[in-house]
Amino acid sequence: MTEQQGLIPAPKGRATATNPPTRFDPVKLELDLDALDPGELRQSCTQFYEDTSRSILVSNDSPDVGFSWGINPYRGCEHGCIYCYARPSHEYLGWSAGLDFETKILIKRNAPELLSKELRKRSWKPAVVSLSGNTDPYQPAERRLELTRGCLKILSEHRNPVVIITKNHLVTRDLDILAPMAKRGLIQVMISVTTLRNNIASVMEPRTSMPVRRLDAIEKLSEEGIPTGVMVAPVVPGLTDEELPAILEAAADRGAFRAGYILLRLPGPVAPLFEDWLDRVMPERKDKIITRIKDVRSGQLNDPRFGHRMRGEGVWAQTLSSLFQVTCKRHKLNLTRKHLRTDLFIRHPSNQLNLFEPDDFNGF
């Protein structure tokens, strides 16, 4: 993997080097490479901003997403995955889907308090919520800020079920909260594993946990009785598709009970960012990857249609689906479906309620 001459190199630990203009801003800034010291191109510090939102639960009505409510303690993501479908959401904040998405992070410092307030409302009907529906709840800032941990404490107190989706080994820090929730049927964790190759992960997902660490997270969570699965997401045609069986096998060996996959999505500004990334880090594979993507997207780089955007269509997409099903069957994945409980919900929790076993009290 090499950088082509004439292309702007990405700062250290970042997936992209550019800030393309947003859909809402006609002004475009161009770097004057001759005026910059080479060292400046390699520097890019993360900046954090206070998010003053007055709510934390976000509803979702997409027919191909398996949850109706999400919690996003952070907006923007320092993991910096080049393919991230959430990048365009940064444009609504007046920032770019490019480097801004990785370096300008909004934090909801009062997320746990907001969540507690919303769960206490009579209008809240207990339902499974996702942590998170947009950016990773265990991105690097969580190690210091503990906003996700705070939200989990609130969900546990209210006995409201939650599904966690993350690429970060940091989720194992919260075993003390997750294990008791698992005993009550209130938690499920999906660890996203895109590739088993460190050299690919380090440039495609520069600040995520390395693949072996994600597999270790699956093992540690499973050993504690926490229902844990693997999400092969995204599958990058022509790059990581060949790893699908190996990823599923590795996850099953470490205790995963279920699996899923999502085909690469490149909405809006993500497509040109991804193409630029290919030009910089693996130009020799670009044509193959782009051609394969178009094969499953009706000749385009993206297909936003519900029912198609997650799986694609055509011969190659069908082959991938069949391979997934066969491999899951071989490794006994997806044999059972664990339904999270909503009947234990407590609208106004108190310390005294901890004396009761889950089946002894129905607080809703």
Side-chain angles (χ1 to χ4, degrees), residues 27-308:
V27 178
K28 181 179 180 181
L29 300 178
E30 294 281 358
L31 285 178
D32 184 352
L33 298 182
D34 294 331
L36 288 176
D37 182 270
E40 293 182 76
L41 293 174
R42 289 292 182 181
Q43 297 175 5
S44 181
C45 298
T46 304
Q47 298 172 294
F48 295 96
Y49 301 84
E50 296 285 344
D51 187 331
T52 57
S53 299
R54 296 182 180 181
S55 62
I56 190 68
L57 285 167
V58 180
S59 63
N60 168 68
D61 59 2
S62 172
D64 50 12
V65 174
F67 59 88
S68 298
W69 295 93
I71 300 173
N72 299 293
Y74 306 95
R75 300 171 74 178
C77 188
E78 201 174 2
H79 277 166
C81 303
I82 188 59
Y83 51 71
C84 185
Y85 66 85
R87 283 181 177 272
S89 65
H90 237 44
E91 295 186 331
Y92 292 100
L93 303 173
W95 291 326
S96 172
L99 194 58
D100 281 349
F101 179 78
E102 305 175 36
T103 59
K104 298 181 186 297
I105 312 298
L106 276 171
I107 59 174
K108 299 180 183 179
R109 198 178 296 276
N110 62 339
E113 291 78 9
L114 288 174
L115 179 59
S116 179
K117 182 179 178 180
E118 295 194 39
L119 293 181
R120 291 172 185 267
K121 292 179 179 178
R122 296 302 303 180
S123 58
W124 172 251
K125 303 299 181 184
V128 178
V129 299
S130 172
L131 258 171
S132 74
N134 199 25
T135 56
D136 200 305
Y138 283 99
Q139 59 179 282
E142 170 62 19
R143 189 175 300 279
R144 174 171 56 89
L145 298 175
E146 297 191 355
L147 301 182
T148 295
R149 181 176 173 84
C151 288
L152 283 173
K153 288 181 179 179
I154 298 299
L155 290 164
S156 178
E157 290 171 4
H158 285 270
R159 295 182 183 173
N160 195 96
V162 59
V163 173
I164 297 174
I165 307 171
T166 183
K167 286 181 167 68
N168 204 309
H169 186 273
L170 182 59
V171 65
T172 60
R173 176 201 62 187
D174 295 333
L175 285 171
D176 60 318
I177 303 174
L178 302 179
M181 292 185 76
K183 291 179 179 179
R184 295 188 171 106
L186 297 175
I187 185 71
Q188 181 174 303
V189 179
M190 298 296 289
I191 302 296
S192 176
V193 181
T194 313
T195 177
L196 297 177
R197 293 174 286 180
N198 288 345
N199 62 327
I200 297 294
S202 63
V203 292
M204 188 168 66
E205 312 160 325
R207 298 200 179 196
T208 59
S209 296
M210 285 291 100
V212 67
R213 294 281 285 167
R214 298 185 219 179
L215 294 175
D216 182 70
I218 293 175
E219 185 171 19
K220 281 184 167 56
L221 292 165
S222 299
E223 288 175 347
E224 293 295 325
I226 299 163
T228 306
V230 62
M231 181 63 72
V232 189
V235 175
V236 182
L239 180 61
T240 65
D241 49 343
E242 62 196 44
E243 295 187 74
L244 181 64
I247 294 173
L248 295 176
E249 179 180 6
D253 288 346
R254 286 161 177 79
F257 83 101
R258 65 170 301 190
Y261 79 95
I262 297 175
L263 201 60
L264 178 70
R265 295 168 51 199
L266 297 173
V270 183
L273 286 169
F274 186 75
E275 288 191 273
D276 175 75
W277 176 79
L278 289 174
D279 284 331
R280 285 186 289 106
V281 302
M282 51 184 68
E284 72 284 354
R285 299 195 67 165
K286 179 181 179 180
D287 288 344
K288 176 184 177 181
I289 294 170
I290 295 299
T291 298
R292 186 66 62 81
I293 293 173
K294 291 182 176 180
D295 283 345
V296 299
R297 299 296 189 194
S298 301
Q300 306 297 317
L301 287 179
N302 189 55
D303 183 353
R305 294 177 298 163
F306 293 134
H308 296 271

